[in-house]
Amino acid sequence: TYLEHFSITPIPGASSTNTVTFTSQSGIASDVIVYYAAAGASDNYVVLLNGADYVRIQNLTLASNSVPNSANAIVIYFAGGVDGVRIEGNTIIGTITTGGGAAQTLVYGPASLYTSRIVNGNIFNDGSWAVSLSGYNTALLSSGTQVNNNTFTNQGYGYVFLENQSAARVNGNSGTGPDADRGAELQYCDAGLQVQKNKFSVSTGYGIYLYFCDGGTGLPTPRGNVSNNMIHVGGGGGAYGITLYYCTYQDVFFNSINITSSSVASGLGLYATGTTTSVNVINNVFANPGGGYAIYVDANAAAGINTLDYNDLYTIGNFIGYWSGTSYPMLSDLQAASGKDANSISVYPAFTSTTDLHSVSPWLDEAGTTVSPAIATDFDGGARSAPHDIGADAFVPALSSTTP
């Protein structure tokens, strides 16, 4: 165990083909522990990448202030336009907090212009946010940002925050904890954004939140794609499974959403609001056993929904959906008013548990349709055969009825 912190400045000769790696000799993260409790804002880091490009930080345990609610507890800090960095295979531990302060974030990069920051296969415990990375501004987007295959536990506010990015990827992560308010919040993340195969459970707030995200038109720039995610949002207040806020050119395919918040007015499986263009929502389960809406689409967003179909819209509440200013109690009412969801169904999805959204419901089996671009595999990586199952999981249905 090392009771210290360290700053890495630009390394002469470092390049994309000549990288510099900091790792444990054994390759086991628990064999090397670096712990540091910051005295204030000026030394608030365990590892500071101060303009250092092409650095690899691998297979270490890095821990900041262990005193609960410490004001300064950043673990890895990116200062300036740090390019070509990989954070992989580490255990990263912060202060226990229920807040969302930037100074308590585990991996933190404030606004800068950079390329290629990859955060992959780490274990994140505590802190406010696990990962927060921002590009320079909405006109100068950073590129090559990937947050993949990480495990997030007990964050005080959220798992992933990305801002001002081009073609970012947030794939294959899992997150759980009693205080989290955000799964993935993505602001001004444009072009071929990917949010795929994540399993997020948050205590309230937003599962996946896209804010002013503009995908490409398909050729040559890919559309945004949100697919094969399992999202649970609980609590007693606002609970939003997938939110599209002023978003364009996005595909929302094969997701499983479970809203257990008791809020009837603001528990929403899908929430689409603001001026929207060319959004497709196909083959998803939007389940609301908390009694709120399966989908909620305001008038501005409704005008920009291209395809909304082959979904399972389920609620135990009085209204299955809200469309362009009016709440509708029955699927048939929603279909007639919106001209959408002609092939959608409203059935109990029979999830394995509140947070494990695998299903064997015979009513979801082969009830979907083909999509473009094709989604070849499901949440678990299993092949999707046609006709497709609805939801994140492709499965063999149970023979017995699963009606509650």
Side-chain angles (χ1 to χ4, degrees), residues 302-329:
I305 301 288
N306 277 1
T307 304
L308 176 67
D309 206 359
Y310 291 93
N311 302 294
D312 177 23
L313 311 181
Y314 173 79
T315 182
I316 64 169
N318 292 329
F319 298 104
I320 194 169
Y322 176 98
W323 183 268
S324 193
T326 303
S327 298
Y328 295 97

PDB file of all heavy atoms in Angstrom, residues 302-329:
ATOM      1  N   ALA A 302     -43.704  14.354 -30.356  1.00  0.00           N
ATOM      2  CA  ALA A 302     -44.575  13.509 -31.175  1.00  0.00           C
ATOM      3  C   ALA A 302     -44.400  13.778 -32.661  1.00  0.00           C
ATOM      4  O   ALA A 302     -44.436  12.859 -33.490  1.00  0.00           O
ATOM      5  CB  ALA A 302     -46.028  13.709 -30.766  1.00  0.00           C
ATOM      6  N   ALA A 303     -44.163  15.023 -32.991  1.00  0.00           N
ATOM      7  CA  ALA A 303     -44.021  15.389 -34.400  1.00  0.00           C
ATOM      8  C   ALA A 303     -42.769  14.797 -35.037  1.00  0.00           C
ATOM      9  O   ALA A 303     -42.700  14.681 -36.265  1.00  0.00           O
ATOM     10  CB  ALA A 303     -43.988  16.913 -34.524  1.00  0.00           C
ATOM     11  N   GLY A 304     -41.794  14.422 -34.209  1.00  0.00           N
ATOM     12  CA  GLY A 304     -40.535  13.914 -34.752  1.00  0.00           C
ATOM     13  C   GLY A 304     -40.331  12.424 -34.586  1.00  0.00           C
ATOM     14  O   GLY A 304     -39.243  11.908 -34.886  1.00  0.00           O
ATOM     15  N   ILE A 305     -41.346  11.706 -34.100  1.00  0.00           N
ATOM     16  CA  ILE A 305     -41.231  10.252 -33.968  1.00  0.00           C
ATOM     17  C   ILE A 305     -41.561   9.609 -35.311  1.00  0.00           C
ATOM     18  O   ILE A 305     -42.696   9.667 -35.780  1.00  0.00           O
ATOM     19  CB  ILE A 305     -42.184   9.711 -32.887  1.00  0.00           C
ATOM     20  CG1 ILE A 305     -41.890  10.348 -31.529  1.00  0.00           C
ATOM     21  CG2 ILE A 305     -42.085   8.200 -32.814  1.00  0.00           C
ATOM     22  CD1 ILE A 305     -40.627   9.901 -30.867  1.00  0.00           C
ATOM     23  N   ASN A 306     -40.575   9.000 -35.938  1.00  0.00           N
ATOM     24  CA  ASN A 306     -40.825   8.302 -37.203  1.00  0.00           C
ATOM     25  C   ASN A 306     -41.614   7.028 -36.981  1.00  0.00           C
ATOM     26  O   ASN A 306     -42.717   6.857 -37.497  1.00  0.00           O
ATOM     27  CB  ASN A 306     -39.496   7.955 -37.887  1.00  0.00           C
ATOM     28  CG  ASN A 306     -38.934   9.106 -38.691  1.00  0.00           C
ATOM     29  OD1 ASN A 306     -39.511  10.186 -38.732  1.00  0.00           O
ATOM     30  ND2 ASN A 306     -37.799   8.879 -39.320  1.00  0.00           N
ATOM     31  N   THR A 307     -41.016   6.117 -36.213  1.00  0.00           N
ATOM     32  CA  THR A 307     -41.639   4.817 -35.964  1.00  0.00           C
ATOM     33  C   THR A 307     -41.685   4.553 -34.477  1.00  0.00           C
ATOM     34  O   THR A 307     -40.665   4.637 -33.783  1.00  0.00           O
ATOM     35  CB  THR A 307     -40.853   3.680 -36.650  1.00  0.00           C
ATOM     36  OG1 THR A 307     -40.756   3.963 -38.054  1.00  0.00           O
ATOM     37  CG2 THR A 307     -41.550   2.349 -36.451  1.00  0.00           C
ATOM     38  N   LEU A 308     -42.871   4.238 -33.996  1.00  0.00           N
ATOM     39  CA  LEU A 308     -43.086   3.807 -32.621  1.00  0.00           C
ATOM     40  C   LEU A 308     -43.980   2.582 -32.714  1.00  0.00           C
ATOM     41  O   LEU A 308     -45.190   2.700 -32.931  1.00  0.00           O
ATOM     42  CB  LEU A 308     -43.749   4.926 -31.813  1.00  0.00           C
ATOM     43  CG  LEU A 308     -44.132   4.627 -30.359  1.00  0.00           C
ATOM     44  CD1 LEU A 308     -42.887   4.425 -29.504  1.00  0.00           C
ATOM     45  CD2 LEU A 308     -44.981   5.755 -29.772  1.00  0.00           C
ATOM     46  N   ASP A 309     -43.377   1.393 -32.579  1.00  0.00           N
ATOM     47  CA  ASP A 309     -44.157   0.188 -32.878  1.00  0.00           C
ATOM     48  C   ASP A 309     -43.453  -1.055 -32.330  1.00  0.00           C
ATOM     49  O   ASP A 309     -42.271  -1.030 -32.004  1.00  0.00           O
ATOM     50  CB  ASP A 309     -44.349   0.058 -34.390  1.00  0.00           C
ATOM     51  CG  ASP A 309     -45.607  -0.730 -34.751  1.00  0.00           C
ATOM     52  OD1 ASP A 309     -46.323  -1.186 -33.834  1.00  0.00           O
ATOM     53  OD2 ASP A 309     -45.871  -0.879 -35.962  1.00  0.00           O
ATOM     54  N   TYR A 310     -44.231  -2.137 -32.259  1.00  0.00           N
ATOM     55  CA  TYR A 310     -43.751  -3.438 -31.798  1.00  0.00           C
ATOM     56  C   TYR A 310     -43.143  -3.344 -30.392  1.00  0.00           C
ATOM     57  O   TYR A 310     -42.145  -3.998 -30.080  1.00  0.00           O
ATOM     58  CB  TYR A 310     -42.730  -4.028 -32.772  1.00  0.00           C
ATOM     59  CG  TYR A 310     -43.344  -4.437 -34.102  1.00  0.00           C
ATOM     60  CD1 TYR A 310     -43.367  -3.554 -35.174  1.00  0.00           C
ATOM     61  CD2 TYR A 310     -43.917  -5.700 -34.275  1.00  0.00           C
ATOM     62  CE1 TYR A 310     -43.925  -3.901 -36.382  1.00  0.00           C
ATOM     63  CE2 TYR A 310     -44.483  -6.067 -35.485  1.00  0.00           C
ATOM     64  CZ  TYR A 310     -44.490  -5.164 -36.538  1.00  0.00           C
ATOM     65  OH  TYR A 310     -45.061  -5.524 -37.747  1.00  0.00           O
ATOM     66  N   ASN A 311     -43.756  -2.532 -29.561  1.00  0.00           N
ATOM     67  CA  ASN A 311     -43.333  -2.401 -28.171  1.00  0.00           C
ATOM     68  C   ASN A 311     -44.355  -3.062 -27.254  1.00  0.00           C
ATOM     69  O   ASN A 311     -45.510  -3.259 -27.624  1.00  0.00           O
ATOM     70  CB  ASN A 311     -43.192  -0.919 -27.803  1.00  0.00           C
ATOM     71  CG  ASN A 311     -42.204  -0.195 -28.683  1.00  0.00           C
ATOM     72  OD1 ASN A 311     -41.011  -0.484 -28.651  1.00  0.00           O
ATOM     73  ND2 ASN A 311     -42.691   0.767 -29.480  1.00  0.00           N
ATOM     74  N   ASP A 312     -43.908  -3.396 -26.047  1.00  0.00           N
ATOM     75  CA  ASP A 312     -44.817  -3.832 -24.990  1.00  0.00           C
ATOM     76  C   ASP A 312     -44.991  -2.663 -24.035  1.00  0.00           C
ATOM     77  O   ASP A 312     -44.041  -2.245 -23.373  1.00  0.00           O
ATOM     78  CB  ASP A 312     -44.245  -5.048 -24.257  1.00  0.00           C
ATOM     79  CG  ASP A 312     -45.139  -5.491 -23.096  1.00  0.00           C
ATOM     80  OD1 ASP A 312     -46.351  -5.184 -23.124  1.00  0.00           O
ATOM     81  OD2 ASP A 312     -44.615  -6.141 -22.159  1.00  0.00           O
ATOM     82  N   LEU A 313     -46.206  -2.136 -23.974  1.00  0.00           N
ATOM     83  CA  LEU A 313     -46.528  -1.009 -23.113  1.00  0.00           C
ATOM     84  C   LEU A 313     -47.400  -1.521 -21.977  1.00  0.00           C
ATOM     85  O   LEU A 313     -48.559  -1.899 -22.190  1.00  0.00           O
ATOM     86  CB  LEU A 313     -47.260   0.088 -23.891  1.00  0.00           C
ATOM     87  CG  LEU A 313     -46.624   0.518 -25.225  1.00  0.00           C
ATOM     88  CD1 LEU A 313     -47.444   1.634 -25.861  1.00  0.00           C
ATOM     89  CD2 LEU A 313     -45.183   0.948 -25.039  1.00  0.00           C
ATOM     90  N   TYR A 314     -46.836  -1.531 -20.767  1.00  0.00           N
ATOM     91  CA  TYR A 314     -47.539  -2.149 -19.636  1.00  0.00           C
ATOM     92  C   TYR A 314     -47.533  -1.221 -18.432  1.00  0.00           C
ATOM     93  O   TYR A 314     -46.508  -0.652 -18.080  1.00  0.00           O
ATOM     94  CB  TYR A 314     -46.872  -3.469 -19.258  1.00  0.00           C
ATOM     95  CG  TYR A 314     -47.431  -4.101 -18.003  1.00  0.00           C
ATOM     96  CD1 TYR A 314     -48.637  -4.804 -18.044  1.00  0.00           C
ATOM     97  CD2 TYR A 314     -46.769  -3.983 -16.784  1.00  0.00           C
ATOM     98  CE1 TYR A 314     -49.166  -5.364 -16.892  1.00  0.00           C
ATOM     99  CE2 TYR A 314     -47.290  -4.540 -15.630  1.00  0.00           C
ATOM    100  CZ  TYR A 314     -48.487  -5.234 -15.684  1.00  0.00           C
ATOM    101  OH  TYR A 314     -49.010  -5.786 -14.537  1.00  0.00           O
ATOM    102  N   THR A 315     -48.686  -1.083 -17.815  1.00  0.00           N
ATOM    103  CA  THR A 315     -48.797  -0.358 -16.557  1.00  0.00           C
ATOM    104  C   THR A 315     -49.941  -0.938 -15.745  1.00  0.00           C
ATOM    105  O   THR A 315     -50.897  -1.512 -16.304  1.00  0.00           O
ATOM    106  CB  THR A 315     -49.042   1.146 -16.783  1.00  0.00           C
ATOM    107  OG1 THR A 315     -49.088   1.817 -15.517  1.00  0.00           O
ATOM    108  CG2 THR A 315     -50.342   1.401 -17.532  1.00  0.00           C
ATOM    109  N   ILE A 316     -49.857  -0.784 -14.421  1.00  0.00           N
ATOM    110  CA  ILE A 316     -51.001  -1.133 -13.573  1.00  0.00           C
ATOM    111  C   ILE A 316     -51.821   0.111 -13.256  1.00  0.00           C
ATOM    112  O   ILE A 316     -52.821   0.032 -12.543  1.00  0.00           O
ATOM    113  CB  ILE A 316     -50.550  -1.810 -12.265  1.00  0.00           C
ATOM    114  CG1 ILE A 316     -49.723  -0.844 -11.401  1.00  0.00           C
ATOM    115  CG2 ILE A 316     -49.765  -3.089 -12.550  1.00  0.00           C
ATOM    116  CD1 ILE A 316     -49.467  -1.342  -9.992  1.00  0.00           C
ATOM    117  N   GLY A 317     -51.382   1.253 -13.797  1.00  0.00           N
ATOM    118  CA  GLY A 317     -52.062   2.511 -13.522  1.00  0.00           C
ATOM    119  C   GLY A 317     -53.238   2.772 -14.434  1.00  0.00           C
ATOM    120  O   GLY A 317     -53.631   1.934 -15.262  1.00  0.00           O
ATOM    121  N   ASN A 318     -53.803   3.958 -14.324  1.00  0.00           N
ATOM    122  CA  ASN A 318     -55.004   4.320 -15.079  1.00  0.00           C
ATOM    123  C   ASN A 318     -54.715   4.701 -16.526  1.00  0.00           C
ATOM    124  O   ASN A 318     -55.617   4.647 -17.368  1.00  0.00           O
ATOM    125  CB  ASN A 318     -55.726   5.487 -14.391  1.00  0.00           C
ATOM    126  CG  ASN A 318     -56.317   5.091 -13.053  1.00  0.00           C
ATOM    127  OD1 ASN A 318     -56.708   3.944 -12.861  1.00  0.00           O
ATOM    128  ND2 ASN A 318     -56.350   6.037 -12.123  1.00  0.00           N
ATOM    129  N   PHE A 319     -53.462   5.083 -16.815  1.00  0.00           N
ATOM    130  CA  PHE A 319     -53.141   5.565 -18.158  1.00  0.00           C
ATOM    131  C   PHE A 319     -51.902   4.850 -18.690  1.00  0.00           C
ATOM    132  O   PHE A 319     -50.841   4.893 -18.073  1.00  0.00           O
ATOM    133  CB  PHE A 319     -52.908   7.080 -18.145  1.00  0.00           C
ATOM    134  CG  PHE A 319     -54.104   7.873 -17.719  1.00  0.00           C
ATOM    135  CD1 PHE A 319     -54.180   8.426 -16.459  1.00  0.00           C
ATOM    136  CD2 PHE A 319     -55.177   8.041 -18.598  1.00  0.00           C
ATOM    137  CE1 PHE A 319     -55.291   9.151 -16.061  1.00  0.00           C
ATOM    138  CE2 PHE A 319     -56.293   8.771 -18.222  1.00  0.00           C
ATOM    139  CZ  PHE A 319     -56.363   9.321 -16.947  1.00  0.00           C
ATOM    140  N   ILE A 320     -52.064   4.244 -19.851  1.00  0.00           N
ATOM    141  CA  ILE A 320     -50.942   3.535 -20.447  1.00  0.00           C
ATOM    142  C   ILE A 320     -49.959   4.485 -21.118  1.00  0.00           C
ATOM    143  O   ILE A 320     -48.752   4.221 -21.155  1.00  0.00           O
ATOM    144  CB  ILE A 320     -51.453   2.489 -21.464  1.00  0.00           C
ATOM    145  CG1 ILE A 320     -50.330   1.515 -21.822  1.00  0.00           C
ATOM    146  CG2 ILE A 320     -52.033   3.149 -22.717  1.00  0.00           C
ATOM    147  CD1 ILE A 320     -50.822   0.304 -22.613  1.00  0.00           C
ATOM    148  N   GLY A 321     -50.475   5.601 -21.635  1.00  0.00           N
ATOM    149  CA  GLY A 321     -49.594   6.511 -22.342  1.00  0.00           C
ATOM    150  C   GLY A 321     -50.124   7.918 -22.403  1.00  0.00           C
ATOM    151  O   GLY A 321     -51.330   8.174 -22.199  1.00  0.00           O
ATOM    152  N   TYR A 322     -49.204   8.820 -22.692  1.00  0.00           N
ATOM    153  CA  TYR A 322     -49.513  10.237 -22.890  1.00  0.00           C
ATOM    154  C   TYR A 322     -48.966  10.612 -24.258  1.00  0.00           C
ATOM    155  O   TYR A 322     -47.801  10.346 -24.566  1.00  0.00           O
ATOM    156  CB  TYR A 322     -48.848  11.061 -21.802  1.00  0.00           C
ATOM    157  CG  TYR A 322     -48.999  12.560 -21.923  1.00  0.00           C
ATOM    158  CD1 TYR A 322     -49.966  13.245 -21.193  1.00  0.00           C
ATOM    159  CD2 TYR A 322     -48.150  13.308 -22.742  1.00  0.00           C
ATOM    160  CE1 TYR A 322     -50.091  14.635 -21.281  1.00  0.00           C
ATOM    161  CE2 TYR A 322     -48.268  14.682 -22.840  1.00  0.00           C
ATOM    162  CZ  TYR A 322     -49.240  15.334 -22.110  1.00  0.00           C
ATOM    163  OH  TYR A 322     -49.352  16.704 -22.197  1.00  0.00           O
ATOM    164  N   TRP A 323     -49.829  11.220 -25.086  1.00  0.00           N
ATOM    165  CA  TRP A 323     -49.408  11.562 -26.442  1.00  0.00           C
ATOM    166  C   TRP A 323     -49.906  12.949 -26.800  1.00  0.00           C
ATOM    167  O   TRP A 323     -51.111  13.192 -26.809  1.00  0.00           O
ATOM    168  CB  TRP A 323     -49.928  10.541 -27.449  1.00  0.00           C
ATOM    169  CG  TRP A 323     -49.465  10.787 -28.852  1.00  0.00           C
ATOM    170  CD1 TRP A 323     -50.101  11.515 -29.815  1.00  0.00           C
ATOM    171  CD2 TRP A 323     -48.260  10.314 -29.449  1.00  0.00           C
ATOM    172  NE1 TRP A 323     -49.364  11.534 -30.961  1.00  0.00           N
ATOM    173  CE2 TRP A 323     -48.220  10.797 -30.778  1.00  0.00           C
ATOM    174  CE3 TRP A 323     -47.201   9.529 -28.991  1.00  0.00           C
ATOM    175  CZ2 TRP A 323     -47.167  10.523 -31.645  1.00  0.00           C
ATOM    176  CZ3 TRP A 323     -46.153   9.245 -29.857  1.00  0.00           C
ATOM    177  CH2 TRP A 323     -46.143   9.739 -31.180  1.00  0.00           C
ATOM    178  N   SER A 324     -48.972  13.855 -27.030  1.00  0.00           N
ATOM    179  CA  SER A 324     -49.277  15.173 -27.588  1.00  0.00           C
ATOM    180  C   SER A 324     -50.374  15.900 -26.816  1.00  0.00           C
ATOM    181  O   SER A 324     -51.300  16.463 -27.399  1.00  0.00           O
ATOM    182  CB  SER A 324     -49.674  15.036 -29.063  1.00  0.00           C
ATOM    183  OG  SER A 324     -49.685  16.285 -29.706  1.00  0.00           O
ATOM    184  N   GLY A 325     -50.269  15.857 -25.473  1.00  0.00           N
ATOM    185  CA  GLY A 325     -51.178  16.656 -24.661  1.00  0.00           C
ATOM    186  C   GLY A 325     -52.309  15.911 -23.997  1.00  0.00           C
ATOM    187  O   GLY A 325     -53.043  16.506 -23.198  1.00  0.00           O
ATOM    188  N   THR A 326     -52.486  14.620 -24.294  1.00  0.00           N
ATOM    189  CA  THR A 326     -53.617  13.877 -23.743  1.00  0.00           C
ATOM    190  C   THR A 326     -53.153  12.535 -23.192  1.00  0.00           C
ATOM    191  O   THR A 326     -52.314  11.860 -23.798  1.00  0.00           O
ATOM    192  CB  THR A 326     -54.684  13.632 -24.822  1.00  0.00           C
ATOM    193  OG1 THR A 326     -55.108  14.887 -25.361  1.00  0.00           O
ATOM    194  CG2 THR A 326     -55.893  12.912 -24.247  1.00  0.00           C
ATOM    195  N   SER A 327     -53.725  12.145 -22.049  1.00  0.00           N
ATOM    196  CA  SER A 327     -53.463  10.828 -21.458  1.00  0.00           C
ATOM    197  C   SER A 327     -54.490   9.828 -21.972  1.00  0.00           C
ATOM    198  O   SER A 327     -55.684  10.147 -22.097  1.00  0.00           O
ATOM    199  CB  SER A 327     -53.535  10.906 -19.932  1.00  0.00           C
ATOM    200  OG  SER A 327     -52.553  11.781 -19.421  1.00  0.00           O
ATOM    201  N   TYR A 328     -54.037   8.598 -22.219  1.00  0.00           N
ATOM    202  CA  TYR A 328     -54.919   7.567 -22.780  1.00  0.00           C
ATOM    203  C   TYR A 328     -54.886   6.327 -21.897  1.00  0.00           C
ATOM    204  O   TYR A 328     -53.813   5.808 -21.573  1.00  0.00           O
ATOM    205  CB  TYR A 328     -54.477   7.215 -24.195  1.00  0.00           C
ATOM    206  CG  TYR A 328     -54.635   8.389 -25.145  1.00  0.00           C
ATOM    207  CD1 TYR A 328     -53.550   9.211 -25.451  1.00  0.00           C
ATOM    208  CD2 TYR A 328     -55.876   8.696 -25.687  1.00  0.00           C
ATOM    209  CE1 TYR A 328     -53.699  10.308 -26.291  1.00  0.00           C
ATOM    210  CE2 TYR A 328     -56.036   9.789 -26.526  1.00  0.00           C
ATOM    211  CZ  TYR A 328     -54.949  10.593 -26.830  1.00  0.00           C
ATOM    212  OH  TYR A 328     -55.105  11.680 -27.653  1.00  0.00           O
ATOM    213  N   PRO A 329     -56.077   5.816 -21.530  1.00  0.00           N
ATOM    214  CA  PRO A 329     -56.123   4.677 -20.604  1.00  0.00           C
ATOM    215  C   PRO A 329     -55.814   3.336 -21.257  1.00  0.00           C
ATOM    216  O   PRO A 329     -55.273   2.450 -20.603  1.00  0.00           O
ATOM    217  CB  PRO A 329     -57.561   4.711 -20.080  1.00  0.00           C
ATOM    218  CG  PRO A 329     -58.346   5.400 -21.147  1.00  0.00           C
ATOM    219  CD  PRO A 329     -57.416   6.395 -21.758  1.00  0.00           C
TER     220      PRO A 329
END
